[in-house]
Amino acid sequence: AKLIFTTSLFLGTTITISSNHWITAWAGLEINTLAILPLISKSHHPRSIEAATKYFLTQATASTLVLFASMTNAWHTGQWDITQLTHPTSCLILTSAIAMKLGLVPFHFWFPEVLQGSPLATGLLLSTIMKFPPVVLLVMTSPSLNPTLLTFMAISSAALGGWMGLNQTQTRKIMAFSSISHLGWMTIIISYNPKLTLLNFYLYTMMTAAVFLILNTNNTLSLSTLMTTWAKNPTLSAMLLLTLLSLAGLPPLTGFLPKWLIIQELTKQDMAIAATVISLLSLLGLFFYLRLAYCATITLPPHTTNHMKQWHTSKPVNTSIAILTTMSTMLLP
């Protein structure tokens, strides 16, 4: 069953990103949604069933809106081609549909809940591969979308992603809010330089995958369990610190590259104010990444922790973690 689900996941993604016709894109998105649902509700916990239901409802609404936007456009222009989306109403509906798919700000409420309800491996899939088809659709339609609306959504995403992540104690929710603010960075540049959006997405995927795999190896779901993991695997915790700082976008590390290029491009487009605002908002993100990093490596817990004691047996660190962490720290230098 797992093989079927993963193959349909990749199949749906491939169908969407390689399609020219709106109906095939929609079909790929639907296959994706249906394939990830059993992976979310795998542990039969009420939280995960609730997460799967929420995910299904939001994604079904978003798919319907995609279909609606393309049909409106075809009705007015006779074009079913994805790149030929010209009718303004269709553009607005499509923007909201893709924002709902991705979890951009007015439609972001489902994402932290769903991520909190699903296991760590599924959380990794949800925040990376499930975001890929909508981002590609956004890139393909980007010339005809409204730049003002996208900039507004991007800045509010960065703000809310940073601001709501400050008070979280669950690692999955922190990763969800970090994802929302990164999507803000991707959306702000999409009307001006879509290639930068894709670059940002690839690097974000790499760093998020590294963080999720490390958390999965350590089996940490909250900050209090993260505090006791330094004893299990000190080297892994140190790499987690570097990867988190890279995700925050600190200069010598990989995560700084997309931010640097995006700020440069925004200044070229006479949007220095937007660049300043979104850079200041990424400081909020830096705060909670630093808190994760502190819990992982820098501070020792002052007292015996009140949760179940963690045994000193850790899973073997697989090669993908090594490759991903190395890339997400060393790629820019």
Side-chain angles (χ1 to χ4, degrees):
K2 212 177 241 182
L3 179 70
I4 294 176
F5 296 143
T6 33
T7 41
S8 2
L9 209 60
F10 283 103
L11 174 78
T13 309
T14 318
I15 288 177
T16 305
I17 64 179
S18 58
S19 61
N20 286 318
H21 195 288
W22 272 114
I23 299 288
T24 40
W26 168 81
L29 290 172
E30 284 296 302
I31 294 173
N32 250 353
T33 305
L34 292 175
I36 195 92
L37 282 173
L39 298 178
I40 299 176
S41 55
K42 188 171 60 190
S43 61
H44 297 286
H45 191 272
R47 279 302 289 263
S48 48
I49 305 293
E50 181 190 349
T53 315
K54 282 178 181 169
Y55 186 76
F56 174 72
L57 290 173
T58 45
Q59 297 301 309
T61 316
S63 295
T64 318
L65 279 177
V66 166
L67 211 51
F68 181 50
S70 51
M71 278 170 67
T72 319
N73 188 58
W75 185 261
H76 283 282
T77 62
Q79 282 287 353
W80 278 102
D81 198 39
I82 292 186
T83 45
Q84 300 288 326
L85 190 79
T86 46
H87 195 253
T89 319
S90 311
C91 293
L92 285 175
I93 297 170
L94 183 87
T95 311
S96 58
I98 286 186
M100 209 179 288
K101 278 268 174 211
L102 288 171
L104 276 172
V105 139
F107 313 105
H108 65 286
F109 293 100
W110 62 274
F111 190 52
E113 300 291 323
V114 169
L115 216 59
Q116 180 59 28
S118 50
L120 277 169
T122 313
L124 166 63
L125 287 176
L126 276 174
S127 36
T128 56
I129 198 173
M130 296 302 287
K131 307 256 167 175
F132 189 42
V135 165
V136 169
L137 286 180
L138 204 54
V139 166
M140 284 166 80
T141 54
S142 60
S144 50
L145 299 178
N146 182 355
T148 324
L149 176 68
L150 286 173
T151 311
F152 175 72
M153 285 166 88
I155 289 180
S156 43
S157 289
L160 268 164
W163 185 47
M164 291 172 76
L166 293 180
N167 217 5
Q168 303 295 333
T169 55
Q170 303 290 322
T171 46
R172 286 169 294 186
K173 276 201 172 170
I174 291 182
M175 291 313 290
F177 286 117
S178 111
S179 177
I180 292 173
S181 55
H182 272 274
L183 281 167
W185 277 90
M186 287 173 224
T187 323
I188 198 166
I189 200 66
I190 195 145
S191 322
Y192 310 107
N193 196 339
K195 286 195 178 66
L196 274 188
T197 301
L198 282 178
L199 171 78
N200 194 346
F201 182 77
Y202 297 144
L203 294 178
Y204 154 78
T205 302
M206 198 172 65
M207 298 182 287
T208 309
V211 173
F212 264 112
L213 286 172
I214 293 176
L215 291 177
N216 196 24
T217 308
N218 285 338
N219 199 10
T220 45
L221 295 178
S222 65
L223 290 181
S224 54
T225 20
L226 196 59
M227 281 210 157
T228 57
T229 54
W230 63 272
K232 282 203 238 176
N233 204 329
T235 332
L236 198 59
S237 295
M239 284 316 287
L240 177 62
L241 163 79
L242 283 175
T243 315
L244 284 168
L245 292 182
S246 178
L247 206 49
L250 286 188
L253 307 164
T254 309
F256 177 57
L257 176 68
K259 286 191 166 48
W260 178 23
L261 293 173
I262 285 174
I263 290 171
Q264 193 182 2
E265 183 65 34
L266 284 176
T267 350
K268 276 183 201 162
Q269 300 284 350
D270 281 340
M271 292 175 64
I273 300 173
T276 316
V277 170
I278 202 165
S279 315
L280 286 174
L281 288 172
S282 72
L283 289 175
L284 293 169
L286 174 66
F287 180 82
F288 59 78
Y289 292 125
L290 267 179
R291 200 172 68 190
L292 268 176
Y294 258 84
C295 286
T297 47
I298 308 174
T299 49
L300 295 185
H303 52 84
T304 53
T305 41
N306 54 3
H307 55 76
M308 215 165 47
K309 274 283 178 286
Q310 297 279 318
W311 290 96
H312 282 246
T313 55
S314 57
K315 303 176 200 167
V317 181
N318 56 6
T319 336
S320 56
I321 292 186
I323 297 170
L324 285 168
T325 47
T326 314
M327 281 172 72
S328 53
T329 48
M330 299 298 174
L331 215 51
L332 180 59

